Amino acid sequence: QVQLVESGGGLVQTGGSLRLSCAASGSIFSSNIFSISPMGWYRQAPGKQRELVAAYGRGRSTNYADSVRGRFTISRDNAKNTVYLQMNSLKPEDTGVYYCNVAIGPADYWGQGTQVTVSS
């Protein structure tokens, strides 16, 4: 059983910041597996498809959507099996439900999502 629990969402004004956290748990996880697993953050705005925001590939490589590059930073604490998304200079178009994703072998695991709302 794998569980991903996101937290840190909320309502913020334009230009504000939020830090999302995603804690992974389950018997499959060890710090070693977590540290080498591709993982990332996705978001889904109302009426739109889910899109990649930021992700780790294998190892330490990172990838960001053009719309967030320079404003958002993905990071991870392997000892805590937790991945973070620091979001700065937030814009109304960043509004949506943010989901954490971890890939282990052929399986994809998703969290329940956390709502981020940026008011203008």
Side-chain angles (χ1 to χ4, degrees):
Q1 191 81 9
V2 173
Q3 267 198 317
L4 302 176
V5 179
E6 299 105 332
S7 60
L11 174 64
V12 65
Q13 290 186 331
T14 295
S17 297
L18 286 172
R19 189 193 195 205
L20 305 184
S21 300
C22 172
S25 63
S27 58
I28 195 173
F29 279 111
S30 68
S31 292
N32 183 56
I33 291 176
F34 186 83
S35 67
I36 64 173
S37 297
M39 60 185 64
W41 289 94
Y42 292 72
R43 69 185 177 193
Q44 188 164 18
K48 294 188 177 181
Q49 288 188 329
R50 192 174 297 187
E51 63 175 355
L52 174 70
V53 176
Y56 279 103
R58 297 204 176 273
R60 296 186 177 184
S61 65
T62 56
N63 184 37
Y64 293 92
D66 289 342
S67 59
V68 308
R69 190 173 289 112
R71 300 188 296 122
F72 290 12
T73 303
I74 189 171
S75 62
R76 67 206 290 175
D77 184 334
N78 294 329
K80 295 182 179 180
N81 287 351
T82 300
V83 59
Y84 304 97
L85 184 67
Q86 178 66 45
M87 306 186 294
N88 298 328
S89 303
L90 282 161
K91 305 176 181 180
E93 51 264 42
D94 294 319
T95 293
V97 180
Y98 283 69
Y99 297 91
C100 173
N101 169 269
V102 176
I104 301 175
D108 261 333
Y109 298 95
W110 294 89
Q112 82 288 350
T114 185
Q115 176 70 43
V116 171
T117 303
V118 185
S119 63
S120 57

